[in-house]
Amino acid sequence: ELKVEQNPLFLSMQEGKNYTIYCNYSTTSDRLYWYRQDPGKSLESLFVLLSNGAVKQEGRLMASLDTKARLSTLHITAAVHDLSATYFCAVDKGNKLVFGAGTILRVKS
Amino acid sequence: NAGVTQTPKFQVLKTGQSMTLQCAQDMNHNSMYWYRQDPGMGLRLIYYSASEGTTDKGEVPNGYNVSRLNKREFSLRLESAAPSQTSVYFCASSALAGGGYTGELFFGEGSRLTVL
């Protein structure tokens, strides 16, 4: 059974500092997805990582995938208030996605 | 471009009542999904439909039924609602990964269900 673990589950960030969220998964998969969810809203796709070593960047966020270690990281550079949200990783299991519990990010001034 | 549309957005039920959540997508996707979201548990798959005419159980199917009415529509039915089914329900669709498609899910806005 595929299990997806994110840590930390809650992250209080200071503006301007760098942070990393980790996503570990238990069985082999070559596809991993990152989503963002604002309070009371739906999920928005951030990154699609489709192979070992894949790296994607958008603004202050960068995601990477190491399929051998079964690990993806979401790196935040110089956090700003607009990044406050819940971030989910999801791993493909036969064209179904298994989600982590989510990481709540809060950026404080 | 509407994407994935869910109705209703909010619903309050009494224990034992039944209801159907409707979902439609206009992206010509083959696959459709129903997830529920509970605090601290991420999203858990209830049922999915890989293509028109097929449905399969996900991680938490008990107490639910689904119908893939056609390629566009996938409904979720609660036959006898229980307080444990109080949750936010998300419908999603995707093109299967491969052939230039990434397999990412596109989500509806969610349906907030409370069972008293």
Side-chain angles (χ1 to χ4, degrees), chain B residues 3-77:
Chain B
V4 180
T5 304
Q6 291 180 234
T7 57
K9 288 187 171 41
F10 300 93
Q11 184 73 47
V12 179
L13 291 177
K14 293 181 180 177
T15 297
Q17 287 185 319
S18 62
M19 75 158 299
T20 300
L21 300 176
Q22 307 284 357
C23 176
Q25 52 94 7
D26 63 3
M27 295 176 282
N28 201 34
H29 286 161
N30 286 315
S31 300
M32 297 186 73
Y33 308 82
W34 278 105
Y35 285 87
R36 62 178 286 173
Q37 183 177 25
D38 302 292
M41 302 187 74
L43 278 76
R44 292 181 293 167
L45 183 63
I46 305 171
Y47 270 94
Y48 68 101
S49 172
S51 61
E52 187 179 354
T54 68
T55 60
D56 285 289
K57 295 178 181 179
E59 181 186 355
V60 288
N62 291 345
Y64 305 95
N65 285 300
V66 291
S67 295
R68 183 75 182 267
L69 303 169
N70 48 55
K71 191 172 185 178
R72 290 187 65 247
E73 298 173 287
F74 188 39
S75 63
L76 178 71
R77 182 161 178 84

Side-chain angles (χ1 to χ4, degrees), chain A residues 2-108:
Chain A
L2 173 60
K3 292 192 183 300
V4 180
E5 292 187 356
Q6 288 182 237
N7 68 84
L9 297 181
F10 181 79
L11 186 54
S12 179
M13 305 187 292
Q14 285 193 317
E15 274 189 328
K17 294 200 171 179
N18 302 334
Y19 297 89
T20 301
I21 302 171
Y22 299 89
C23 175
N24 293 274
Y25 54 100
S26 61
T27 63
T28 302
S29 177
D30 287 338
R31 289 196 291 268
L32 189 141
Y33 306 80
W34 284 96
Y35 288 86
R36 169 184 170 140
Q37 185 180 39
D38 292 304
K41 303 293 186 182
S42 185
L43 282 82
E44 171 192 358
S45 180
L46 287 175
F47 298 110
V48 178
L49 303 169
L50 298 178
S51 61
N52 186 41
V55 177
K56 295 281 183 72
Q57 182 161 8
E58 180 73 33
R60 299 175 186 274
L61 300 178
M62 183 174 72
S64 64
L65 177 61
D66 181 343
T67 59
K68 293 190 172 96
R70 297 175 189 163
L71 171 68
S72 178
T73 59
L74 181 65
H75 187 69
I76 300 146
T77 301
V80 293
H81 185 74
D82 285 354
L83 292 179
S84 294
T86 300
Y87 293 79
F88 292 94
C89 64
V91 179
D92 175 82
K93 178 189 173 186
N95 291 310
K96 304 180 295 293
L97 296 194
V98 178
F99 283 78
T103 297
I104 300 171
L105 299 189
R106 291 291 176 262
V107 181
K108 51 186 182 180

